[in-house]
Amino acid sequence: MYINITDSEKGNNKGSSGQLVHYLDKENRLYKSEEVTLWFNGTTNDLQSYEVKNKLDNNTAKLCRDDAKFFLINISPSQKEIGHLKELYGEDGAREKLKEYAVKIMDEYARNFKKDNIKSNTDLLWFGKLENHRYYSYKDKEVKNGQVKRGTVKPGEQMHIQIIVSRKDITNKIRLSPMNKSRGRNAEHSKKLGQFDRVAFKNSGEYVFDQQFDFQRPVSETFNYANANAKGSLKERMEMRASINQLKTPQIEKLVEPKQEIPHSYLKLPEPTNYLGLLLEKQDTEPLGKGLTKKKKRRKSRSQENEQGLSI
């Protein structure tokens, strides 16, 4: 999610908002066959361009000639994010959901000023315009390399929202500038001057999208990662890359299965040999005395044969 705050994309923001309003109404002139897209805010979706201009230009009380009168907020989801919305809500539904998201972004914008009486988008004077296309400018490398002409429509998913927000709050009394990063001499002084944390604002926009639409964002595609690589210290960059490597390595949990009682199938051990029992069993087939008598007869016959041999 790309969110950026500028003084103005077209025209000077120190004068009338008419030039910028006219520029952001370009798709209604370029694509007359398509449905006219009107302006919206937190309360209505059908504001005409002249109403937007008049309300912004009449909300500049006590601002000097060289003071900024309004600011432009660019909310540009990535092609993955747009595809995610269309998958969930369809073509038309994605547009309406992106508008709802923009309202929540303006809630974050209001809270970022840390003022007790500026708490939500309803405390601001702002108007949003949804655009379906983007165009190559002289800054794009394709134009510099001569591949495409300036003003050519860019391919792919390019749906985004442009928001004009007044420098003064809805009551035309309080000055609010997102360009003011003053920390002041102390906390009370900073609170009086007002301060705006643009890094926190951009980061909150990403968080709101992920929470609202259940978008699973890889660490390598987060604002924190890009910001750390661009502006962070070496330690911050190393920590961010380490966290990505840790996510890439699957953490295999060891599952401890409960022990199951497995019936043992031990072999039956042989019983000790009972020699006396074997002898007693033998008595059933052949009396013990008979066996001994045969042995005595064999011994007697051998002795008689020996005596005969000696007498010869």
Side-chain angles (χ1 to χ4, degrees):
M1 177 63 65
Y2 177 80
I3 297 178
N4 191 36
I5 304 174
T6 61
D7 292 337
S8 172
E9 186 170 327
K10 293 288 181 180
N12 192 335
N13 73 330
K14 296 178 181 179
S16 171
S17 63
Q19 188 175 356
L20 178 58
V21 171
H22 178 76
Y23 171 74
L24 295 179
D25 208 29
K26 59 186 177 296
E27 288 193 357
N28 289 337
R29 298 188 299 272
L30 293 172
Y31 304 96
K32 293 182 180 180
S33 59
E34 297 182 5
E35 184 179 354
V36 174
T37 57
L38 300 176
W39 294 80
F40 70 95
N41 56 19
T43 57
T44 183
N45 286 320
D46 56 357
L47 290 163
Q48 297 287 339
S49 298
Y50 73 88
E51 295 179 274
V52 172
K53 173 190 173 299
N54 291 340
K55 289 182 178 181
L56 287 169
D57 288 353
N58 289 323
N59 201 64
T60 59
K62 296 184 178 180
L63 290 177
C64 299
R65 184 180 63 179
D66 294 331
D67 289 337
K69 309 299 189 299
F70 54 86
F71 301 98
L72 180 68
I73 301 176
N74 181 359
I75 301 175
S76 296
S78 68
Q79 298 208 16
K80 281 185 179 180
E81 290 165 334
I82 297 172
H84 181 71
L85 290 179
K86 288 187 176 182
E87 184 178 351
L88 289 177
Y89 308 107
E91 188 83 23
D92 294 334
R95 293 189 180 94
E96 295 307 313
K97 289 298 180 180
L98 193 58
K99 289 181 182 180
E100 292 176 12
Y101 168 73
V103 175
K104 291 188 176 182
I105 291 302
M106 295 312 292
D107 286 335
E108 296 299 322
Y109 179 88
R111 284 191 284 267
N112 206 299
F113 287 104
K114 301 177 178 64
K115 288 183 175 292
D116 295 336
N117 46 357
I118 307 295
K119 297 180 179 179
S120 72
N121 79 91
T122 58
D123 298 314
L124 308 170
L125 182 68
W126 66 278
F127 304 97
K129 188 69 178 293
L130 185 143
E131 296 186 318
N132 296 297
H133 309 284
R134 283 194 175 281
Y135 311 89
Y136 286 103
S137 71
Y138 68 92
K139 296 180 182 179
D140 293 310
K141 62 180 181 180
E142 291 85 353
V143 175
K144 293 178 180 178
N145 296 337
Q147 295 172 294
V148 296
K149 292 183 179 181
R150 179 181 176 182
T152 305
V153 177
K154 289 185 176 181
E157 300 287 0
Q158 300 294 342
M159 183 170 62
H160 62 284
I161 288 178
Q162 303 274 21
I163 292 175
I164 308 176
V165 57
S166 175
R167 170 73 179 273
K168 302 294 290 292
D169 75 321
I170 195 72
T171 66
N172 203 7
K173 295 178 180 178
I174 302 172
R175 297 189 184 197
L176 302 169
S177 174
M179 303 302 174
N180 187 1
K181 298 185 291 183
S182 171
R183 296 296 179 266
R185 292 167 293 183
N186 53 51
E188 287 300 319
H189 185 62
S190 294
K191 188 176 180 180
K192 182 179 179 180
L193 286 178
Q195 58 187 31
F196 191 92
D197 190 335
R198 276 181 276 176
V199 172
F201 174 60
K202 293 177 181 180
N203 199 25
S204 68
E206 188 176 273
Y207 176 80
V208 169
F209 186 91
D210 295 349
Q211 292 296 309
Q212 184 175 352
F213 303 115
D214 192 26
F215 183 72
Q216 305 301 315
R217 186 183 306 276
V219 176
S220 59
E221 296 178 11
T222 61
F223 171 78
N224 282 337
Y225 179 78
N227 195 51
N229 278 335
K231 301 178 182 179
S233 63
L234 177 61
K235 181 181 178 181
E236 290 173 333
R237 294 198 299 270
M238 294 297 291
E239 288 176 351
M240 187 65 68
R241 289 170 188 171
S243 66
I244 291 177
N245 291 333
Q246 186 176 5
L247 289 174
K248 285 181 179 179
T249 305
Q251 301 296 322
I252 302 174
E253 296 182 2
K254 293 183 179 180
L255 300 176
V256 180
E257 297 183 357
K259 280 189 176 182
Q260 297 181 356
E261 293 295 330
I262 302 174
H264 298 292
S265 58
Y266 296 124
L267 292 174
K268 189 176 181 180
L269 294 174
E271 296 180 357
T273 304
N274 186 352
Y275 293 103
L276 179 59
L278 291 175
L279 289 174
L280 293 175
E281 288 177 4
K282 194 173 181 63
Q283 287 182 358
D284 296 335
T285 56
E286 184 179 321
L288 182 59
K290 185 177 180 180
L292 291 175
T293 304
K294 288 181 179 179
K295 289 180 181 180
K296 286 181 179 180
K297 287 182 178 180
R298 285 195 294 272
R299 288 174 186 170
K300 187 176 180 180
S301 62
R302 286 197 198 100
S303 62
Q304 289 177 352
E305 290 175 357
N306 290 337
E307 286 178 358
Q308 292 176 357
L310 289 174
S311 62
I312 295 172

